[in-house]
Amino acid sequence: MMDASIAPEASALAALRRLLLATVILGTAGMGTELLLIGHVEGQLQRLPVFLLAAAWPSLIWLAVAPSRAAVRWVQLLMTLSTVSGAVGVSLHYYGNTAFELEMYPDLAGLALAQKALTGATPVLAPGSMTLLGLVGLAVTFRHPLIHMRAVGQSVKEVS
């Protein structure tokens, strides 16, 4: 049985977890739609974030509707991949802009090149949204009761 002093904190944590989960569900749906609308599907590297978002959305719904240890672990995997994908995307966007700017201005270098690359045609920081969604998704699953209860031998009723 749960200590009465812990119950309000556990209830607040569960509500926060639901709010973050709803945020990630809406974020993945919106970002996936946006990537499709802008045609972010040229080549495997551009399709990767679309694929991750397409896989994450039903997985997040699964966690919301029928929470299970498998759902939590699957969401953790996809959110970790999304976090990495966003960081790789920032790098790819930056280096793509750098290459474009060097084609246009071969003598450009240093801070001037970096400034041009950061403000170039491809939005450098946009893929960071994938990282942000991934981190929020990982926050949803952080010390999730369905994972934690197995480690300490609690029943589902004790942690909910």
Side-chain angles (χ1 to χ4, degrees):
M1 195 63 59
M2 213 185 250
D3 184 341
S5 64
I6 297 174
E9 186 174 320
S11 177
L13 182 57
L16 180 59
R17 194 181 303 280
R18 285 190 302 272
L19 176 63
L20 292 174
L21 182 57
T23 301
V24 179
I25 289 170
L26 292 173
T28 55
M31 189 181 304
T33 301
E34 180 180 27
L35 289 177
L36 289 173
L37 289 173
I38 66 170
H40 201 276
V41 292
E42 296 174 14
Q44 291 180 352
L45 286 176
Q46 282 194 2
R47 284 192 294 270
L48 182 61
V50 176
F51 169 77
L52 285 172
L53 292 165
W57 198 79
S59 301
L60 292 160
I61 298 293
W62 174 26
L63 182 60
V65 174
S68 66
R69 186 167 205 240
V72 172
R73 289 298 191 201
W74 188 243
V75 167
Q76 286 175 329
L77 172 66
L78 289 169
M79 294 298 105
T80 299
L81 292 173
S82 293
T83 300
V84 172
S85 169
V88 169
V90 167
S91 174
L92 290 172
H93 281 210
Y94 178 81
Y95 288 113
N97 283 352
T98 300
F100 178 77
E101 293 299 333
L102 286 172
E103 279 184 33
M104 300 282 291
Y105 311 101
D107 295 333
L108 205 55
L111 288 177
L113 176 59
Q115 190 271 332
K116 286 280 196 183
L118 288 170
T119 59
T122 306
V124 172
L125 298 179
S129 301
M130 283 288 289
T131 299
L132 181 61
L133 276 177
L135 291 173
V136 174
L138 288 172
V140 168
T141 64
F142 180 72
R143 295 189 59 149
H144 196 284
L146 291 170
I147 300 298
H148 188 64
M149 72 179 189
R150 295 250 170 128
V152 295
Q154 294 174 315
S155 71
V156 174
K157 289 184 180 182
E158 288 181 78
V159 289
S160 50

